[in-house]
Amino acid sequence: MSNPLYTRLQATAKRLIEKYGQAGNIRRIAPPDPVTGGDGTPTDYPVKLVPMTYDQRYVDGSNVRASDRQLYISSVGLAIKPTVGDQAVTADGVTYHIIAADPNNYDGITDVVFIVQGRTNP
């Protein structure tokens, strides 16, 4: 059973992302068939997200670059969990590759909000 505190935090995060965020999607590319080969199949999952610039104290040029963005993604109604290797496409048309993901799952049950590190050119 999930903790009511984390359920309320999840609802608050959803409300703020709905209010201040933008529509986007996460593109996950399924691996090709091991027998027939070919290209992987991309699938888009709609999300609401807020892209934020990293504070300058975190930018070190290797782990966090100046062009990286923190993408706050609402976990409510999300069909997948964002993982490294996925692509998050913002409404502005900028494609960010997810290079780090944090589900903010404090009780092991409720994903409050996904905070991912997006990079334009991995």
Side-chain angles (χ1 to χ4, degrees):
M1 183 173 176
S2 68
N3 186 327
L5 171 65
Y6 300 127
T7 305
R8 286 194 310 269
L9 287 173
Q10 183 186 50
T12 300
K14 177 189 180 295
R15 188 180 73 249
L16 290 171
I17 291 172
E18 287 286 329
K19 183 174 182 178
Y20 298 107
Q22 54 187 298
N25 60 34
I26 294 176
R27 175 169 289 165
R28 179 165 290 170
I29 300 176
D33 186 283
V35 176
T36 60
D39 294 330
T41 307
T43 305
D44 290 340
Y45 299 93
V47 296
K48 287 290 277 190
L49 55 87
V50 177
M52 309 246 329
T53 303
Y54 275 95
D55 192 286
Q56 285 299 312
R57 66 181 167 198
Y58 299 116
V59 176
D60 63 3
S62 59
N63 292 326
V64 179
R65 297 179 186 167
S67 62
D68 289 356
R69 298 290 178 261
Q70 282 182 312
L71 304 171
Y72 287 75
I73 301 172
S74 176
S75 63
V76 177
L78 191 57
I80 60 168
K81 291 185 178 190
T83 58
V84 175
D86 290 341
Q87 299 175 353
V89 182
T90 67
D92 297 334
V94 178
T95 301
Y96 293 99
H97 299 272
I98 297 175
I99 60 169
D102 182 6
N104 284 266
N105 184 323
Y106 306 108
D107 62 355
I109 300 169
T110 307
D111 293 325
V112 175
V113 63
F114 291 102
I115 303 174
V116 302
Q117 181 180 357
R119 185 168 288 165
T120 55
N121 191 8

